[in-house]
Amino acid sequence: MIARWLYSLVLALLTPLAMLYLLKRARRQPEYRQHWDERWARYRTPAPGGEAPIWLHAASVGETRAALPLLQALRARYPGRRFLVSCITPTGRATARELLGDGVEIVYLPYDYPGAMKRFLQRYRPALGLVLETEVWPNLIAACRRQGVPLYLVNARLSDKSFRGYARLRPLMAPAFAGFTGILAQHEEDAARLARLGARNVQVTGNLKFDNVPPAEVVQRGYDWRRVLGERPVLLLASSRDGEEALWLDALAKLDLPAGLLLVIVPRHPQRFDEVAALLAERGLPTVRRSAWNGSALDPDTKVLLGDSMGEMPAWYALADVAVMGGSLLDFGCQNLIEACAVGTPVLVGPSTFNFAEVVRAAQTAGAAWQGQDANAVAARALRLLRDATRRGRMRAAGLSFAGIHRGATERVLAVLESRLG
């Protein structure tokens, strides 16, 4: 209790910095100025009436996409229920609207002040709360317990790095983990770490991201692009993070590149599209941006295709001969490689994989992925793969099989929740 009081005091003292952060982000993403009052659970409209909703919190784009199969299954099983989705980032909010349409209410989860969380729960009165992956907010959890809202941590994961960080804050975090009604973990390793931090009622239900089958029409778009580009080898850097594009280009510059090689770079965050375009221009690399490309034939002199669009990652995987996962070349913990496997794209990852450590290990064991010690090793391996159609074919088959056999988490999660939803 004392630890949470001190935590709340620190949050209150940091309020001016939180406001400055939003204003700073708004200079690159004006959407950060929108729905400002929701960040502090101040609402200008009356509370919605009707039946208590099923509430799901997905912080940003990755969590929102991961939650899609579960939300679709819940909406199909409980067609008369209201649904509330909360996010933290504008891109997460936009993704939720794109994927879910107007059938759900979408809001920002307020910052974790005790009063704000109380107002949020009193306004929406959720019948059940589902928090995705690693969103552990002590005051939110305490408020749910006080107001009798069952709260589950779903698709829970906890890397060694995160475990060590939480362990240093055990007086604050142990009661928070213990406060969940239940925790549904991705892997046995995640469950063990969560239990060591004080979590109760922990079950392993698998990774929802395996159930998120890429939309067929988006995958087909990538195949159509592939036909237009003909025999050009295509190497994709997917969901790249800050600094990785330059590192990747440096690694490739040391090697003898295949004739006609087309690099595709898709930055993780849309606010970096212009920054990456400027980097490519500085390097003198003829570049076409997706926003200016209609899918027709490219000039043979084009070296780079910059994916400055949202929602098309399955198409980029379908286009590519080999995909390198962003977030793994520098210490960001890797982005989700499951979608690439589900499309059948051979996957290469760098040394940093703490966000998807178990998935990477399993994918390697299955023959669907390969991990290198640095960007240079990954680049060298990528070029060998581009010259070896037989090995790519084996990795493609392995990826499709790997993605298929791990599906089913959605039904396991539903089985747990049914006892609460009736």
Side-chain angles (χ1 to χ4, degrees):
M1 189 60 146
I2 294 175
R4 190 159 56 81
W5 183 87
L6 292 172
Y7 161 76
S8 301
L9 176 62
V10 171
L11 281 182
L13 295 173
L14 291 177
T15 297
L17 291 180
M19 292 180 174
L20 288 173
Y21 169 80
L22 293 176
L23 292 172
K24 181 180 178 181
R25 293 299 301 266
R27 290 158 68 180
R28 299 178 69 181
Q29 275 186 279
E31 295 86 356
Y32 271 93
R33 288 183 179 273
Q34 299 173 5
H35 311 288
W36 180 281
D37 286 347
E38 290 180 8
R39 305 282 190 177
W40 284 268
R42 302 291 184 185
Y43 305 101
R44 300 176 184 273
T45 59
E51 187 180 17
I54 297 171
W55 160 48
L56 185 141
H57 174 65
S60 192
V61 175
E63 293 84 359
T64 303
R65 292 193 180 280
L68 182 60
L70 178 59
L71 274 168
Q72 290 173 329
L74 285 167
R75 292 173 76 180
R77 193 159 299 189
Y78 302 99
R81 300 297 295 258
R82 290 173 52 224
F83 285 86
L84 172 71
V85 174
S86 61
C87 306
I88 289 178
T89 68
T91 49
R93 188 173 186 138
T95 300
R97 180 61 65 204
E98 172 195 345
L99 296 177
L100 302 171
D102 297 326
V104 301
E105 183 169 2
I106 302 170
V107 298
Y108 283 132
L109 185 73
Y111 291 129
D112 198 32
Y113 304 102
M117 289 306 183
K118 179 181 178 180
R119 291 192 297 275
F120 173 80
L121 293 175
Q122 287 179 339
R123 176 180 175 84
Y124 292 106
R125 301 176 294 104
L128 178 76
L130 309 173
V131 177
L132 262 289
E133 298 200 355
T134 52
E135 292 287 297
V136 183
W137 301 108
N139 284 324
L140 170 62
I141 297 165
C144 285
R145 289 184 68 85
R146 283 196 300 271
Q147 297 193 32
V149 178
L151 186 65
Y152 288 83
L153 187 62
V154 178
N155 215 42
R157 60 182 175 87
L158 192 70
S159 67
D160 278 328
K161 182 177 181 179
S162 295
F163 171 80
R164 292 192 296 271
Y166 283 133
R168 287 193 289 270
L169 300 171
R170 187 176 292 274
L172 173 66
M173 300 311 301
F177 281 108
F180 283 105
T181 304
I183 294 181
L184 309 182
Q186 294 184 16
H187 305 281
E188 294 287 354
E189 295 87 345
D190 298 307
R193 295 185 194 110
L194 289 160
R196 287 167 63 190
L197 286 175
R200 303 169 185 167
N201 302 320
V202 183
Q203 302 178 55
V204 178
T205 51
N207 191 335
L208 291 173
K209 291 180 178 178
F210 283 102
D211 292 345
N212 202 349
V213 179
E217 67 276 10
V218 181
V219 175
Q220 184 59 49
R221 190 179 309 156
Y223 292 147
D224 293 340
W225 295 344
R226 173 78 266 183
R227 282 194 295 273
V228 168
L229 294 177
E231 298 301 316
R232 292 189 70 172
V234 178
L235 177 57
L236 167 66
L237 176 60
S239 296
S240 56
R241 305 290 294 272
D242 191 9
E244 290 190 316
E245 298 89 3
L247 181 66
W248 183 235
L249 294 173
D250 289 343
L252 290 174
K254 302 171 185 175
L255 301 171
D256 182 19
L257 302 181
L261 176 66
L262 179 66
L263 299 178
V264 178
I265 298 177
V266 184
R268 170 69 173 168
H269 297 114
Q271 62 268 29
R272 297 190 60 245
F273 292 160
D274 291 342
E275 171 189 328
V276 176
L279 170 68
L280 296 168
E282 290 171 7
R283 299 285 182 115
L285 295 169
T287 300
V288 171
R289 296 175 68 144
R290 169 67 177 108
S291 56
W293 182 53
N294 62 4
S296 60
L298 290 172
D299 188 306
D301 291 333
T302 300
K303 301 296 184 184
V304 182
L305 188 53
L306 176 60
D308 61 346
S309 62
M310 297 292 290
E312 290 193 313
M313 190 55 74
W316 297 121
Y317 288 130
L319 169 65
D321 295 302
V322 176
V324 175
M325 294 312 307
S328 70
L329 300 179
L330 292 174
D331 194 26
F332 294 105
C334 195
Q335 300 304 136
N336 176 23
L337 66 156
I338 295 170
E339 195 170 52
C341 293
V343 177
T345 309
V347 175
L348 304 182
V349 298
S352 180
T353 61
F354 56 81
N355 284 329
F356 291 92
E358 288 80 11
V359 173
V360 169
R361 280 197 290 269
Q364 286 184 273
T365 300
W370 182 89
Q371 183 174 18
Q373 63 184 1
D374 56 29
N376 293 328
V378 173
R381 184 73 173 200
L383 297 195
R384 286 199 295 272
L385 267 177
L386 287 174
R387 296 184 173 102
D388 190 341
T390 301
R391 185 176 293 274
R392 293 201 312 273
R394 289 199 294 266
M395 291 186 74
R396 172 182 173 80
L400 292 169
S401 174
F402 169 72
I405 64 176
H406 285 88
R407 293 187 180 120
T410 298
E411 287 301 319
R412 290 188 286 272
V413 170
L414 284 177
V416 174
L417 300 180
E418 279 182 337
S419 60
R420 290 283 179 175
L421 292 171

